Amino acid sequence: MADQRTIEALRRALSRLPGVGPRSAQRMAFHLLERDREGARLIIDTLERALSDVGHCSRCNNFSESEVCEICSSARRDAGLLCVVESPADLEAMEKAGFYQGMYFVLMGRISPLDGVSLDELGVAQLRILLDSGVVQEVILATNLTVEGEATAHALTELLRGRGITVSRLAQGVPAGGELEYLDGVTLEHALSGRHEL
Amino acid sequence: MARASSTGVILHSYSYRETSLVAEVFTLSHGRLSVIAKGAKRPRSAFRGMLRPFWLLDLAWSGRSDLVTLTRADPLGPRFGVEGEGLLCGFYVNELIVRLLHRFDPHEALFQRYVNTLEELAAGQAPREAVLRGFEKHLLRELGYALVLDRDESGQSIRAGEHYRYLADRGAIAVDASAAGSIRGASLLALEQEDWQDPACLQEVKSLMRRMIDVRLEGRPLQSRRLVRQIRQLASG
């Protein structure tokens, strides 16, 4: 059907979004065309602006609209302390908690050979430059506690070795408000092996 | 709807839609298969935290298509504690299985060997390279490409002091010691017996196995190999 070609193209474009299958894509396409053309315009304009204005911070690699992001240019934060996270969402979570006063580095992913993600796909070259500047004294490896996150942390310890930098890894165990009865065995195991003396 | 269950190990998993996971699994009775665990990422899902690699699980699933639906995943003991370099070796072994085994093709002996391999990588007693060469040898045998390591192409016994060229489709061919790409008989016999007292043999066998695996991969690259190379580069400079 030649008269449906554009709709089909729109459907295919929308299904490039993560978590959107062909059926959701079709629903979105019909909704925008039939019920919310104004919303479609808004999406186009905002996307256009985001694509042209949002890049990566030259220091921490997080998304940023300026050369150096707000956190990295803050004078009140401890530039000697660096927390390495996988994604901007992880950084957001840390910031929301509000207690961390150091700097960040965002890898924009984690090592996962079976997904085709290796070190070259992460911001490791930029991290090396940051470390070479000599300002960083302590690095907290805050990658996720998945096998991919652990492998990423392992690779980074190789990068950090011999630099005289203190390296630590996030602790794992019982979450705040957690009742032992409802914890899974793995978490309990970590909590036990990582227990500390009072 | 067909139901089945087996002991199995997750090789790899990735997010699917908002709350589900799709996993590649190696099972004892059904070989490699792909499962979908619906709602696995929901806070109260029974699958939450379970679908991780390097863990012997009791699995049950239903369905007939290429992607079956996971209905049960219970741990059979603690996870294999593979860490650091051992973790990278684990990725390599998992990638070999994903790339080379066909779906729904049972390989019970190989599954046992896989579990032993994970145990050995976790224990860290045996040299990791030796553990990997042993697994590769069994994998090739299970795929129907067993290496002939005690006789040469003409049926003569392999002699430790001789040199050979090993070709995937012909086996060992006796050559002059100076021939490029040759391997010592001692190395072929070391692989045959999985006896690695001579570290030089391990090194020679590594390049032999890399070639043999590459033949079966038919040009597809192994990401975990690339990763190990990249990490070595990080460490060196």
Side-chain angles (χ1 to χ4, degrees):
Chain A
M1 285 192 291
D3 58 334
Q4 300 265 307
R5 221 174 274 154
T6 311
I7 296 180
E8 175 56 29
L10 175 59
R11 211 162 26 197
R12 236 181 270 157
L14 286 169
S15 63
R16 293 178 72 129
L17 288 167
V20 177
R23 207 172 302 179
S24 312
Q26 173 164 311
R27 213 168 49 233
M28 288 177 190
F30 289 173
H31 174 82
L32 291 174
L33 290 172
E34 180 61 28
R35 309 229 175 273
D36 197 5
R37 289 193 170 231
E38 197 187 325
R41 181 59 59 192
L42 181 70
I43 292 173
I44 295 168
D45 293 345
T46 320
L47 255 183
E48 195 108 47
R49 214 170 55 236
L51 282 179
S52 79
D53 293 354
V54 180
H56 292 278
C57 169
S58 62
R59 195 175 181 282
C60 74
N61 200 35
N62 194 13
F63 290 126
S64 172
E65 290 185 43
S66 46
E67 166 74 19
V68 177
C69 76
E70 210 171 302
I71 292 178
C72 287
S73 33
S74 164
R76 279 183 311 186
R77 301 188 77 116
D78 180 357
L81 184 59
L82 188 75
C83 179
V84 183
V85 294
E86 291 180 15
S87 73
D90 297 336
L91 185 153
E92 288 293 322
M94 291 283 287
E95 281 300 285
K96 219 184 262 175
F99 53 83
Y100 179 68
Q101 288 302 319
M103 299 293 189
Y104 293 96
F105 188 85
V106 185
L107 292 165
M108 292 289 170
R110 74 271 186 284
I111 288 173
S112 181
L114 281 160
D115 292 316
V117 182
S118 213
L119 272 176
D120 288 355
E121 282 78 30
L122 308 178
V124 174
Q126 194 176 327
L127 176 59
R128 190 201 291 269
I129 294 170
L130 184 59
L131 295 171
D132 285 345
S133 71
V135 186
V136 178
Q137 270 147 35
E138 181 179 349
V139 170
I140 304 165
L141 296 175
T143 53
N144 287 329
L145 295 162
T146 57
V147 283
E148 291 86 4
E150 294 286 1
T152 309
H154 168 72
L156 294 179
T157 51
E158 294 294 329
L159 176 68
L160 291 161
R161 183 165 297 163
R163 287 175 180 269
I165 295 175
T166 310
V167 182
S168 57
R169 184 94 176 93
L170 287 187
Q172 35 184 333
V174 186
E179 295 174 50
L180 296 195
E181 186 185 348
Y182 298 109
L183 284 187
D184 64 281
V186 191
T187 306
L188 267 178
E189 188 192 322
H190 282 307
L192 264 178
S193 62
R195 69 187 185 277
H196 56 86
E197 210 172 313
L198 295 176
Chain B
M1 195 181 257
R3 291 177 182 281
S5 63
S6 173
T7 302
V9 179
I10 306 282
L11 299 168
H12 177 56
S13 71
Y14 54 92
S15 296
Y16 180 73
R17 300 276 169 96
E18 286 286 307
T19 58
S20 299
L21 284 176
V22 169
E24 289 288 325
V25 192
F26 187 24
T27 65
L28 173 66
S29 63
H30 290 67
R32 178 169 80 86
L33 47 113
S34 303
V35 300
I36 176 163
K38 290 181 182 156
K41 295 199 307 189
R42 289 185 199 279
R44 288 174 191 284
S45 167
F47 297 135
R48 203 176 146 89
M50 293 291 140
L51 304 184
R52 302 190 293 163
F54 313 126
W55 205 359
L56 201 58
L57 303 170
D58 174 33
L59 300 168
W61 62 90
S62 66
R64 290 182 192 281
S65 68
D66 266 0
L67 183 66
V68 297
T69 304
L70 193 67
T71 54
R72 186 180 74 223
D74 291 322
L76 297 166
R79 288 185 72 212
F80 301 109
V82 282
E83 293 170 336
E85 287 266 331
L87 189 54
L88 303 179
C89 294
F91 279 151
Y92 171 70
V93 170
N94 285 1
E95 190 175 8
L96 283 181
I97 294 172
V98 169
R99 301 266 181 263
L100 292 173
L101 254 54
H102 293 291
R103 283 208 180 91
F104 301 110
D105 223 357
H107 290 282
E108 292 200 5
L110 186 68
F111 182 82
Q112 285 305 342
R113 182 75 191 198
Y114 173 63
V115 171
N116 294 345
T117 299
L118 294 183
E119 280 167 350
E120 284 182 311
L121 289 175
Q125 299 279 319
R128 281 185 290 268
E129 297 279 349
V131 174
L132 293 180
R133 299 301 83 84
F135 179 79
E136 290 165 341
K137 186 177 88 169
H138 277 77
L139 175 67
L140 288 174
R141 179 189 296 163
E142 283 279 327
L143 291 170
Y145 304 119
L147 304 187
V148 180
L149 298 164
D150 58 346
R151 302 200 164 266
D152 71 7
E153 189 190 34
S154 61
Q156 303 279 324
S157 293
I158 295 288
R159 278 192 296 227
E162 295 289 317
H163 282 71
Y164 299 87
R165 174 172 295 143
Y166 200 98
L167 298 178
D169 50 354
R170 288 169 64 186
I173 302 156
V175 291
D176 208 61
S178 61
S182 69
I183 181 170
R184 288 177 305 142
S187 294
L188 295 175
L189 294 172
L191 177 59
E192 167 80 0
Q193 284 142 24
E194 293 184 43
D195 175 353
W196 304 109
Q197 288 178 26
D198 179 358
C201 288
L202 202 49
Q203 199 53 43
E204 280 194 351
V205 167
K206 180 176 184 170
S207 61
L208 167 71
M209 291 312 260
R210 173 175 287 240
R211 276 199 302 119
M212 294 303 115
I213 296 277
D214 282 347
V215 170
R216 303 310 161 199
L217 286 167
E218 296 171 339
R220 289 169 294 175
L222 283 178
Q223 295 295 332
S224 42
R225 248 188 221 161
R226 192 175 139 231
L227 176 63
V228 168
R229 211 165 42 233
Q230 289 174 351
I231 293 178
R232 295 249 161 83
Q233 281 166 2
L234 274 190
S236 64

